[in-house]
Amino acid sequence: MSDLTKLTAAELAATIASGDVSAVEVAQAHLDRIAAVDERVHAFLHVDTEGALAAARDVDAKRAAGEELGPLAGVPIAVKDVLATKGVPTTAASKILEGWRPPYDATIVERLRAAGTVMLGKTNMDEFAMGSSTEYSAYGPTNNPWDLGRIPGGSGGGSAAAIAAYEAPLAIGTDTGGSIRQPGAVTGTVGAKPTYGGTSRYGLIAFSSSLDTPGPCARTVHDAALLHSVIAGHDPRDSTSIPQAVPDVVAAARLGATGDLTGVKIGLVTEFNGEGAEPGVMAAYRDSIEALTKLGAEVVEISCPHFQYALPAYYLIAPSEASSNLARFDGVRFGLRTGDDGRHSLEEVMSLTREAGFGPEVKRRIILGTYALSSGYYDAYYGQAQKVRTLITRDFTSAFEQVDVLVSPTTPFVAFPFGSRTGDPYQMYLADLFTIPTNLYGGPAISVPCGLSEGLPVGLQIMAPTMADDRMYRVAAALESTVGVLTPPAL
Amino acid sequence: MTTTVLPPYDDVVARYEPVIGLETHVELGTNTKMFCGCPTEFGAEPNTQVCPVCLGLPGALPVPNRAAIEATIRIGLALNCSIADWCRFARKNYFYPDMPKNFQTSQYDEPLCVDGYLDVEVDGEIVRVEIERVHLEEDTGKTLHVGGATGRIHGATESLVDYNRAGIPLVEIVTKPIPGTGAKAPLVARAYVTELRDIIRSLDVSDVRMEQGSMRCDVNTSLTPAGGTEWGTRTETKNVNSLRSVERAVRAEMIRQASVLDAGERIFQETRHFQEDTGDTRPGRSKEEATDYRYFPEPDLVPMAPDPAWVAELKAALPEPPRVHRKRLQEEWGLTDLDMQSVVNAGAVELIEATIAAGATAAGARKWWLGELARRANEEGLDLSAVGATPAQVAELQQLVDEGKLNDKLARAVLEGVVAGEGSPREIMTARGLEVVSDTGALTAAVDEAIAANPDVAAKIRDGKVAAAGALVGAVMKTTRGQADAKTVRELILSRLGAQG
């Protein structure tokens, strides 16, 4: 058998189903790959060797017993460390949760287990998913497999890097302001943010409840669609989960892969005219627009005048919700506790715990959010940001009356070297400039590789109306059929 | 605090006009918690009724309990409120270890029910209490400080937290300020809480036990100089946990505030705590250093839009309001206002109703519940319903009296057996041999014995002093251990002595 780690999820599932290889062999091949390269990549915070092999054995037993296997049975997967995994350490890359083993599985993790996927372990991320480079992980950054001296994007850099480094064919990410798409773009992989409420947040350690969206990371559009279809769907345990059928994203990806986009209307956001973006990124972007046109798509410019306020609105809403969501990390019931030596008051223990447990970016956002929600400032900040959010939603709604999807570069720049933006939070925040509007609106968006700039991957972002996730898969698969799947240099 | 001589109450109300307001929390009697499926039983082992959701574990999410929303709407409707066609939950952020998420999911500027009223009766006069809002929230856990002398955190060596109560649905009912009640303010407060409790009990949505904390009251009080137009600064007296305490707390706070104002000082807006033992209030946290709760719409929950058809259905199915219900019963039972009041005060309305339904007369039912059983309940500090007798048993007891099988005294002995759990009245009567002796043969012997033993009394009776027969009846009752029917005994004595009754 050729190198199992180079196969796509779809190929692996087919091979396992046919009996050519066992799920255990596939799992072992990936565990071996992790053992060989992860010291350099640091995509994983925790590798669950025992759990993975046990899950793989289960799949093999089922196959041997003639039971029907799901479309991803036996396929290894890496899960962002922000999703609760029963009995398996879950830290959100924070010191405050070091060693915490949740007593329950996130709904998505339950669905992954039910589908027979094999969870290899938990991937690195920016602490509590706050960041755009994975440099804010309390356990050290992840390195981009394309250039180990560069960031893998954030906050889901671990998930994207694990895929790019062939440590796993699939991974789960979460996207609050671009944390699936942006790492996807800078690692040359596919990352999709489903419609908000289309995937369950139950068991996802909350950063910003009204924005957080779990979604798939993969090396191909088809794989992403397969994973999407396994994890999406209504969850009664999440009040914001949409009680509607999931669009058939797998069929849409297959349709797109035929390379025909006749009749598809694509909108280019006028306001994303290249300002603040690297020329190489814009060049790859224009090439991909041309490619889409050649596939038969009609391309028009659409103005979304309020997108320019998305970044500031996001940086009020997300930290506000985060300041409240993270209040539960106080050392009382779980995780780290500092100062409980009989010499400190209750308030001091809580305060010392939070001081010791949270990293600088998390503290920055808690302070920002606490301020924005405080009485006297609420209307000026949080309230105003919510109004901007409404206007951005209207921009999207009116755009989708004219076109099927909107496209833009996923990120304004390719993977940057470590440390080049940590000194200036605003420069870091710009990394999510193009991805944030979608989160405020709630619709789905995907990043798909569209070329290289200076030898580093560039992603194209495709945005669709809420619950029309299938549309973006179709366009993404069509682009992939001409651009091809990017292959990083050997590690 | 300096000790000052407090002015007499009459003096206070002569010079000041009180304005009161009440915030009442009611734990709903739903089977499961507000946002998860955990059970809500009272008194379970600490931290046995918890899950990731009500413990606020990372990643856990709330899902609203429809039964709690329905109960809140019914309370709102019973209090004549409008039901919001669209509303949502908010987060109230503050740090406290008994609150798992360090925010309470509550309602803030968009409550479920608004603008209602409740009419209460004080001294035969109806006072309308306006309701500002009725909203739904989740309860917190409980902290227990051990190792100290007082049970307070000061001096404690350890603090323990029980999260069983965390997440139990809690309804908050807030009145508008109630002016113009004058000297009756404490009575109005008490009557309001009593009426509210009765309404909620009639809706069957909570057991409203103040002593168990399933109904808790905060009382706001302010004073304005008589004839003044501007209201004074109010204080909030927390967790007043009995009807009697509600009345006492208002009264005590009125007197205290008057003494402060008399001294030319000002009232601070603060939280005070009612002291059950002394009946006064003591300062708690000052509102001036109050937390900024940083309320904002709860992003984990979608807004609620109660279906108007559903609300109309709930409204149509509301039970008769307790005050109207009582009025009707009073007429049916032929009671005076005062009698009815004592029935209500004893918490006997429903018990008497059920006893009548089981076949007793109104007078009979009232007699047992308000006499013997109320006395026992009082002595043992129990609710009348918990005293150990059922309406069916009381009805049976009365029936035995009506049949002449028991006299009053014997019936009381049987009732004792009922309360002790010995069985039904008939069983106890038989088992203990308490039935009235009406066998004239046996009674005649006892009567003759009594006549022989008291010749001078017998002589008086023969002479026509019929009233003296009582002494002989007493003697006969003594020898028959009370089991004789006194009327029969008396007739026998008179006939044996040839006297006319």
Side-chain angles (χ1 to χ4, degrees):
Chain A
M1 195 77 222
S2 62
D3 186 353
L4 291 172
T5 63
K6 295 287 165 62
L7 300 183
T8 66
E11 287 163 349
L12 285 170
T15 318
I16 292 164
S18 70
D20 288 351
V21 292
S22 69
V24 168
E25 285 173 88
V26 170
Q28 193 58 59
H30 287 87
L31 291 167
D32 291 346
R33 173 72 180 172
I34 292 169
V37 305
D38 204 54
E39 205 178 317
R40 282 171 286 153
V41 179
H42 193 223
F44 284 87
L45 290 178
H46 178 82
V47 178
D48 186 18
T49 306
E50 292 307 310
L53 292 173
R57 279 194 295 272
D58 272 359
V59 171
D60 288 335
K62 276 188 179 154
R63 207 195 75 82
E67 284 180 43
E68 202 182 319
L69 298 178
L72 289 177
V75 177
I77 187 161
V79 174
K80 193 177 180 181
D81 202 33
V82 73
L83 283 150
T85 42
K86 189 173 181 176
V88 177
T90 302
T91 66
S94 181
K95 288 286 179 202
I96 214 162
L97 273 177
E98 190 159 2
W100 185 61
R101 290 171 190 260
Y104 67 108
D105 272 333
T107 296
I108 283 186
V109 173
E110 272 181 1
R111 288 182 183 180
L112 290 174
R113 292 195 203 279
T117 65
V118 171
M119 191 181 81
L120 297 169
K122 306 298 287 292
T123 55
N124 201 8
M125 54 185 282
D126 283 301
E127 185 179 356
F128 283 107
M130 298 177 190
S132 304
S133 67
T134 315
E135 288 170 287
Y136 293 128
S137 167
Y139 304 99
T142 294
N143 304 316
N144 192 326
W146 286 78
D147 176 347
L148 296 175
R150 289 175 186 264
I151 61 102
S155 64
S159 288
I163 293 169
Y166 299 102
E167 293 171 280
L170 296 175
I172 296 291
T174 64
D175 193 311
T176 307
S179 293
I180 291 175
R181 291 161 287 160
Q182 188 258 35
V186 302
T187 59
T189 58
V190 177
K193 180 201 102 70
T195 296
Y196 175 83
T199 44
S200 169
R201 288 186 298 114
Y202 188 84
L204 161 61
I205 298 176
F207 159 19
S208 178
S209 307
S210 74
L211 301 165
D212 294 343
T213 314
C217 311
R219 286 194 294 267
T220 70
V221 174
H222 183 231
D223 277 4
L226 283 172
L227 181 52
H228 186 124
S229 68
V230 163
I231 61 173
H234 182 240
D235 177 11
R237 290 186 296 187
D238 175 357
S239 152
T240 59
S241 166
I242 299 171
Q244 270 180 40
V246 183
D248 192 344
V249 293
V250 177
R254 285 208 186 94
L255 175 61
T258 62
D260 181 9
L261 287 179
T262 312
V264 175
K265 241 180 147 175
I266 294 177
L268 314 182
V269 181
T270 319
E271 285 73 16
F272 291 162
N273 56 7
E275 205 181 316
E278 288 174 354
V281 167
M282 290 313 286
Y285 168 61
R286 282 188 209 102
D287 289 350
S288 59
I289 302 301
E290 203 170 302
L292 292 172
T293 315
K294 278 188 187 150
L295 298 176
E298 185 191 337
V299 176
V300 293
E301 288 221 346
I302 297 280
S303 174
C304 296
H306 300 98
F307 279 20
Q308 58 178 311
Y309 307 113
L311 196 67
Y314 174 85
Y315 277 99
L316 288 169
I317 292 169
S320 292
E321 292 182 8
S323 70
S324 174
N325 282 331
L326 268 56
R328 72 191 65 198
F329 300 94
D330 59 2
V332 174
R333 281 149 292 116
F334 49 80
L336 182 75
R337 179 185 291 176
T338 307
D340 186 13
D341 51 12
R343 292 186 294 121
H344 294 96
S345 72
L346 177 69
E347 284 76 13
E348 285 165 348
V349 170
M350 286 183 176
S351 176
L352 287 166
T353 299
R354 290 166 70 79
E355 165 62 28
F358 288 139
E361 183 62 18
V362 173
K363 285 176 186 161
R364 179 154 44 232
R365 297 201 196 190
I366 289 173
I367 290 167
L368 204 63
T370 304
Y371 185 77
L373 287 177
S374 58
S375 69
Y377 298 100
Y378 180 94
D379 291 336
Y381 294 117
Y382 183 84
Q384 201 66 16
Q386 289 293 13
K387 285 180 192 159
V388 169
R389 187 173 188 171
T390 305
L391 294 175
I392 287 169
T393 299
R394 277 189 208 151
D395 279 358
F396 271 109
T397 313
S398 100
F400 290 131
E401 280 164 8
Q402 302 161 65
V403 295
D404 297 306
V405 294
L406 289 172
V407 299
S408 76
T410 307
T411 60
F413 28 77
V414 293
F416 47 85
F418 285 110
S420 60
R421 286 173 192 267
T422 40
D424 182 348
Y426 184 69
Q427 283 302 310
M428 185 72 92
Y429 296 165
L430 285 177
D432 294 331
L433 186 66
F434 299 143
T435 49
I436 280 173
T438 293
N439 294 85
L440 292 172
Y441 158 61
I446 193 170
S447 177
V448 61
C450 71
L452 296 175
S453 166
E454 300 164 40
L456 293 166
V458 176
L460 178 79
Q461 174 178 231
I462 303 154
M463 299 166 267
T466 51
M467 289 310 273
D469 304 48
D470 46 349
R471 287 191 205 171
M472 70 187 192
Y473 277 100
R474 181 180 174 192
V475 177
L479 183 68
E480 187 184 67
S481 74
T482 64
V483 173
V485 174
L486 300 185
T487 306
L491 277 168
Chain B
M1 208 170 71
T2 50
T3 34
T4 41
V5 179
L6 296 175
Y9 184 71
D10 290 345
D11 187 32
V12 170
V13 294
R15 292 182 291 116
Y16 295 101
E17 172 61 36
V19 179
I20 54 171
L22 293 113
E23 292 169 26
T24 310
H25 282 98
V26 176
E27 264 184 13
L28 294 179
T30 48
N31 294 325
T32 57
K33 290 188 180 180
M34 186 60 228
F35 295 117
C36 65
C38 283
T40 53
E41 261 161 68
F42 180 79
E45 281 289 300
N47 297 312
T48 53
Q49 301 184 341
V50 292
C51 74
V53 174
C54 59
L55 281 178
L57 293 191
L61 290 175
V63 177
N65 181 341
R66 187 181 161 96
I69 293 166
E70 177 175 313
T72 308
I73 292 175
R74 292 180 68 224
I75 291 172
L77 290 170
L79 296 174
N80 306 293
C81 289
S82 326
I83 308 304
D85 50 13
W86 188 92
C87 69
R88 58 183 165 181
F89 285 100
R91 289 188 185 177
K92 179 180 182 180
N93 293 281
Y94 63 100
F95 281 82
Y96 205 76
D98 68 8
M99 200 165 53
K101 304 181 295 271
N102 286 320
F103 62 76
Q104 183 188 28
T105 304
S106 179
Q107 289 193 297
Y108 176 51
D109 50 352
E110 296 157 311
L112 194 46
C113 325
V114 292
D115 292 336
Y117 63 85
L118 178 60
D119 286 337
V120 302
E121 204 172 324
V122 180
D123 293 347
E125 190 191 320
I126 301 289
V127 178
R128 174 158 292 192
V129 175
E130 295 199 61
I131 306 289
E132 180 164 312
R133 58 190 279 150
V134 177
H135 77 240
L136 189 51
E137 60 190 32
E138 57 180 340
D139 210 342
T140 60
K142 278 184 192 172
T143 16
L144 181 70
H145 306 293
V146 291
T150 57
R152 290 165 188 272
I153 192 164
H154 184 74
T157 53
E158 276 180 299
S159 292
L160 307 172
V161 198
D162 176 7
Y163 293 105
N164 280 353
R165 199 181 68 179
I168 289 186
L170 201 58
V171 167
E172 183 172 351
I173 301 146
V174 183
T175 69
K176 290 180 181 165
I178 313 163
T181 54
K184 284 184 188 165
L187 294 175
V188 170
R190 180 180 182 149
Y192 164 78
V193 179
T194 310
E195 189 69 27
L196 188 61
R197 187 192 60 173
D198 289 349
I199 285 189
I200 289 166
R201 192 181 281 149
S202 78
L203 296 172
D204 200 21
V205 293
S206 168
D207 59 9
V208 279
R209 286 177 195 264
M210 294 188 85
E211 73 284 1
Q212 286 184 359
S214 63
M215 181 165 177
R216 317 196 277 269
C217 221
D218 302 339
V219 186
N220 294 316
T221 314
S222 73
L223 289 187
T224 245
T229 46
E230 259 181 51
W231 291 348
T233 305
R234 71 187 162 89
T235 60
E236 183 180 8
T237 306
K238 284 290 215 190
N239 291 330
V240 189
N241 291 334
S242 74
L243 294 175
R244 183 165 165 261
S245 297
V246 169
E247 183 182 333
R248 289 169 79 207
V250 172
R251 195 181 162 96
E253 191 53 17
M254 282 167 65
I255 294 172
R256 187 194 69 84
Q257 288 189 14
S259 80
V260 172
L261 295 172
D262 286 349
E265 289 164 26
R266 69 186 187 96
I267 303 292
F268 292 99
Q269 189 176 340
E270 63 183 354
T271 297
R272 300 186 65 86
H273 296 282
F274 181 68
Q275 310 296 311
E276 287 282 348
D277 46 354
T278 59
D280 60 8
T281 70
R282 288 193 200 147
R285 176 163 47 83
S286 160
K287 281 271 175 180
E288 269 144 58
E289 51 190 82
T291 330
D292 178 355
Y293 291 121
R294 303 190 310 281
Y295 283 101
F296 74 105
E298 165 60 279
D300 281 332
L301 295 170
V302 289
M304 287 187 277
D307 178 5
W310 180 46
V311 173
E313 209 175 286
L314 293 177
K315 187 170 188 172
L318 283 181
E320 189 178 21
R323 204 170 57 82
V324 176
H325 185 67
R326 281 198 303 270
K327 210 79 202 159
R328 183 167 61 76
L329 291 181
Q330 186 184 340
E331 275 165 30
E332 279 176 24
W333 298 347
L335 298 183
T336 64
D337 286 355
L338 201 65
D339 286 345
M340 191 62 195
Q341 197 52 54
S342 56
V343 170
V344 171
N345 290 348
V349 177
E350 283 147 34
L351 293 167
I352 292 175
E353 238 186 319
T355 307
I356 295 168
T361 60
R366 184 169 141 253
K367 173 177 150 189
W368 294 114
W369 284 110
L370 247 56
E372 198 60 16
L373 292 168
R375 185 182 57 74
R376 288 188 73 106
N378 231 341
E379 277 169 14
E380 291 170 33
L382 290 174
D383 264 9
L384 195 50
S385 57
V387 82
T390 65
Q393 289 166 332
V394 173
E396 188 184 322
L397 184 80
Q398 181 59 38
Q399 199 188 343
L400 292 172
V401 173
D402 294 343
E403 286 169 11
K405 293 198 170 121
L406 291 176
N407 59 26
D408 234 49
K409 192 174 166 199
L410 292 169
R412 270 200 288 275
V414 169
L415 194 56
E416 237 166 67
V418 168
V419 168
E422 289 171 25
S424 76
R426 200 174 291 274
E427 284 162 3
I428 294 163
M429 182 180 76
T430 313
R432 288 209 199 171
L434 290 173
E435 192 170 347
V436 166
V437 179
S438 47
D439 169 6
T440 7
L443 277 185
T444 309
V447 164
D448 288 346
E449 200 183 307
I451 290 171
N454 300 283
D456 42 341
V457 178
K460 280 185 190 166
I461 298 171
R462 278 196 198 93
D463 290 350
K465 290 191 177 161
V466 178
L472 291 185
V473 171
V476 173
M477 294 308 272
K478 205 168 177 184
T479 53
T480 58
R481 298 199 329 277
Q483 269 172 271
D485 178 46
K487 204 172 148 216
T488 314
V489 172
R490 187 182 159 87
E491 279 165 11
L492 266 177
I493 291 169
L494 295 181
S495 87
R496 296 299 275 186
L497 296 174
Q500 294 299 316

